[in-house]
Amino acid sequence: MTKSLDPRNVTWMALSMALVMLPHVERLPLWISLLAVLVVGWRLYVAWQGMSLPKKWLLLLLVAAASAGIYLSFGTLFGRDSGVALLVVMLTLKLLEMASLRDAMIVIFLSYFGILTEFLYSQTIPTALLMLVGVWVVTATMIGLQWRGGAIRYQDSLRLSLQMLAQATPLMLVLFLLFPRVQGPLWGLPRDAYAGITGLSDSMSPGTLSQLTLSDAVAFRVQFQGAMPKPTQLYWRGPVLWYFDGMSWHMGISFESGAPSYSPGAEAFSYTVTLEPHDKRWLFALDLPAKLAPNSRFTNDFQMLSITPVRQRMRYEMTSHTSYRLGYEGLTSFERRRALQLPEGYNWRARALAQNMRRAARDETDMVDRVLGMFRTQQFFYTLTPPLLGEHPIDEFLFTTRSGFCEHYASAFVFLMRAAGIPARVVTGYQGGELNPVGNYMIVRQSEAHAWAEVWLEDKGWLRVDPTAAVSPLRVESGIAAAIPATDPLPLLIRGDIEWLRQLRFTWDSLANTWNQWVLGYNPERQFWLLSRVGLDRATWQTLATILVATTTLITLMFAFAMLRRLSRRTRDPVAKAYRKFCRKLARRGAPRAPSEGPADYAVRAAAQLPHAAAAIKAISERYIKLRYGRPRGGESVRELKRLVAELKV
């Protein structure tokens, strides 16, 4: 390929590359974005001014400097973020040595690869649409580079690109639906690909959950089969925290086992959870889960843990009992020590308060009621923006600030129980959810993150106690937006004060959920379900491969048939018919047209061989080229062509 690049080619290359890389700008260091703008502007200036490209030594210096800058910015040259940054830098620098069609095609292929890298960050519908536009423009750029009929108009290259993508769509759908699916990704992503994922952690300190509440990201969606629980029953169990170091609560060691024994109540709920990736192992279920999700294990405190970290969207069916008795057989000595552990030298005023209240209480149940009554009747406030706490956070919260979020109340309650000799632990997860009437499913967002307590009472076992409900009953009954003061920061969509915006959000989420279930979540189970609906419920991968080959062959033959019909119509075209007559006349005089010879080249050669008819040959060829490759001129132009051919004397 020796075709040189004109300024229009270079401009199109810069435009397509910018469209592909633009979504990465917010994730890249500022200096990389500035470098890309400078390099693109430099290359456009060189192209339009007819200047020479930079020397190789300067390009090598820029590559070395940029690579060093990426290493200093990210601490590595490997991984998702640093790899994308390196791709952006190398793609822009490639423009500075792009002198031939071969170089331009390399940039085209790198641009296609750059489109794929955007899906490492987001796989939403807007991302897919934006990347589809990127493919459209890059393909149009490639058409312009490969065009041999002179300069092609940009609208024509875009139209041809759109036609090519439309023709590829049926094959794409067949490959998507029938290509044998494998469980999980084909390759592992770098560890930093999961950076920035929001969700619960294995520890809790003052401010942890209140910061999570500021996110309106979806944690999971739930589709109930039949009746739905009451809002006060919507406790989605997650990490259970046992150990307190004076400032923070931690899970400690998780003891995985078979399903712990418990006595369920009469009421059970069946539902399907679609869990968003959070890069941790815990799975969420309505408290208390009656069965395990696939590829998961129970711990002895009823956490449900996946065998591997949840790094892709996961769908599982569950059954739960909201009424139950758990651990009423008794505690082992190890469990009792874990449930009473407190660090020495911290929060001595809270210890004294717990001991005084325990002496005044009739029994353990009365002790629980007294602490809840204290939260309920005294001046305690529920807020997202509590004051910062110091070295003794429980003391400062109970006796000084008296303002906090759910983690403050759960932490203080469990501390008081343990200081009074009552086994207790902190449970984190989510409370509540928002029903989407468009899709008839429940959305549980990160803003519903919650912490509550479990206490162990003799002959009753582990009982759920939510001290936040004593301070702010609206939090449990009506959700976070109803409980938080209007002055506290919350995302606009969570408050839902604007009805039309709320309905728009529901509609969009329902569309996104369908996209997640049937496109991003099209796994082997979904494929099997779809094939079983058309009578292929026992299809093996060999059967799928056979059907795939047969279907793609059929589609290819259909397109070939359509193109042949179009070609046959062209053979009946009066313009083509007149030109074939012209070629036959010249061939009889010793100037036949070669199969690979275009009309312009043929006219030049034939005129040289037949100089006495050169003017007529040139006129006929020019008129044919205009009619065939230019804008149609109407019947008069065709008749004129026929007349010239008929009058040709060779």
Side-chain angles (χ1 to χ4, degrees), residues 173-182 518 522-549 551:
L173 292 176
V174 169
L175 289 170
F176 176 79
L177 293 174
L178 297 180
F179 193 85
R181 297 277 159 166
V182 296
W518 290 104
Y522 190 66
N523 53 20
E525 290 76 19
R526 285 278 179 175
Q527 187 179 51
F528 175 80
W529 179 88
L530 184 64
L531 294 175
S532 65
R533 306 285 286 187
V534 295
L536 296 173
D537 51 339
R538 296 189 178 182
T540 63
W541 70 267
Q542 293 94 335
T543 305
L544 289 179
T546 302
I547 297 173
L548 181 63
V549 171
T551 308

Side-chain angles (χ1 to χ4, degrees), residues 579 582 586 599-608 610-626 641 644-645 648 650:
Y579 187 70
F582 165 72
L586 297 183
D601 292 339
Y602 180 47
V604 172
R605 184 173 63 82
L610 306 169
H612 61 281
I617 292 173
K618 181 179 179 182
I620 292 172
S621 298
E622 288 179 351
R623 184 166 296 276
Y624 170 73
I625 290 172
K626 289 181 180 179
L641 175 65
L644 291 174
V645 173
L648 176 64
V650 291

Side-chain angles (χ1 to χ4, degrees), residues 539-584:
T540 63
W541 70 267
Q542 293 94 335
T543 305
L544 289 179
T546 302
I547 297 173
L548 181 63
V549 171
T551 308
T552 53
T553 302
L554 178 61
I555 293 175
T556 304
L557 290 176
M558 290 173 61
F559 277 121
F561 177 72
M563 294 177 68
L564 288 174
R565 286 193 61 186
R566 183 179 179 184
L567 183 60
S568 66
R569 286 196 300 268
R570 288 181 59 182
T571 59
R572 297 193 296 269
D573 186 0
V575 174
K577 185 177 180 180
Y579 187 70
R580 286 196 300 271
K581 182 179 179 181
F582 165 72
C583 292
R584 287 195 299 270

Side-chain angles (χ1 to χ4, degrees), residues 277-289:
H278 53 73
D279 197 30
K280 302 294 190 299
R281 291 181 58 200
W282 38 80
L283 307 177
F284 296 98
L286 197 63
D287 205 4
L288 200 65

Side-chain angles (χ1 to χ4, degrees), residues 87 126 170 185 209 270 328 335 345 400 409 440 482 485 512 518 540 553 594 602 613:
L87 175 65
L209 298 185
S270 297
Y328 55 89
E335 288 175 328
T400 305
Y409 290 98
N440 194 31
W518 290 104
T540 63
T553 302
Y602 180 47

Side-chain angles (χ1 to χ4, degrees), residues 46-329:
V46 167
W48 286 99
Q49 295 298 320
M51 301 171 62
S52 59
L53 293 173
K55 301 295 184 182
K56 290 291 184 181
W57 66 266
L58 179 58
L59 291 177
L60 292 175
L61 184 62
L62 286 174
V63 168
S67 301
I70 291 173
Y71 183 82
L72 293 175
S73 298
F74 295 94
T76 180
L77 292 178
F78 304 99
R80 180 191 63 173
D81 296 338
S82 56
V84 169
L86 192 62
L87 175 65
V88 171
V89 169
M90 296 307 168
L91 184 54
T92 52
L93 291 180
K94 181 66 179 177
L95 289 176
L96 291 180
E97 68 168 6
M98 186 178 67
S100 65
L101 183 56
R102 179 180 180 278
D103 296 329
M105 292 303 297
I106 292 176
V107 175
I108 287 289
F109 295 142
L110 287 176
S111 297
Y112 281 126
F113 185 76
I115 291 173
L116 291 177
T117 62
E118 177 62 22
F119 291 105
L120 297 176
Y121 295 91
S122 173
Q123 300 175 20
T124 61
I125 296 175
T127 299
L129 292 176
L130 179 60
M131 293 302 101
L132 182 60
V133 173
V135 172
W136 178 33
V137 174
V138 172
T139 305
T141 304
M142 183 170 60
I143 291 173
L145 289 170
Q146 299 288 349
W147 193 259
R148 289 297 186 269
I152 183 174
R153 299 181 304 167
Y154 69 90
Q155 56 264 47
D156 291 333
S157 61
L158 287 173
R159 176 180 53 80
L160 289 173
S161 174
L162 192 60
Q163 289 179 354
M164 293 174 63
L165 295 179
Q167 291 170 357
T169 299
L171 288 176
M172 177 198 70
L173 292 176
V174 169
L175 289 170
F176 176 79
L177 293 174
L178 297 180
F179 193 85
R181 297 277 159 166
V182 296
Q183 193 66 258
L186 293 177
W187 57 81
L189 292 177
R191 187 65 184 86
D192 65 350
Y194 308 101
I197 294 179
T198 57
L200 295 174
S201 73
D202 56 359
S203 64
M204 184 189 76
S205 56
T208 302
L209 298 185
S210 56
Q211 290 299 316
L212 196 57
T213 301
L214 298 178
S215 170
D216 62 353
V218 174
F220 52 91
R221 297 176 175 89
V222 184
Q223 182 83 51
F224 282 95
Q225 287 83 49
M228 293 178 55
K230 299 176 182 178
T232 54
Q233 297 175 313
L234 293 173
Y235 284 85
W236 306 95
R237 192 179 188 89
V240 179
L241 312 180
W242 290 83
Y243 291 98
F244 186 53
D245 60 10
M247 292 293 294
S248 303
W249 291 88
H250 304 271
M251 284 179 56
I253 301 175
S254 294
F255 296 91
E256 299 184 16
S257 62
S261 60
Y262 74 100
S263 177
E267 194 173 19
F269 296 94
S270 297
Y271 53 95
T272 301
V273 177
T274 303
L275 179 64
E276 297 295 312
H278 53 73
D279 197 30
K280 302 294 190 299
R281 291 181 58 200
W282 38 80
L283 307 177
F284 296 98
L286 197 63
D287 205 4
L288 200 65
K291 67 177 185 179
L292 274 169
N295 301 315
S296 65
R297 297 286 186 272
F298 273 130
T299 64
N300 59 353
D301 51 17
F302 253 105
Q303 293 182 73
M304 190 165 58
L305 301 180
S306 173
I307 294 176
T308 57
V310 182
R311 291 175 177 169
Q312 58 182 340
R313 192 171 287 102
M314 183 176 179
R315 189 172 183 268
Y316 50 92
E317 296 181 356
M318 289 299 300
T319 300
S320 293
H321 295 276
T322 56
S323 174
Y324 56 87
R325 294 182 66 197
L326 174 64
Y328 55 89
E329 304 93 340

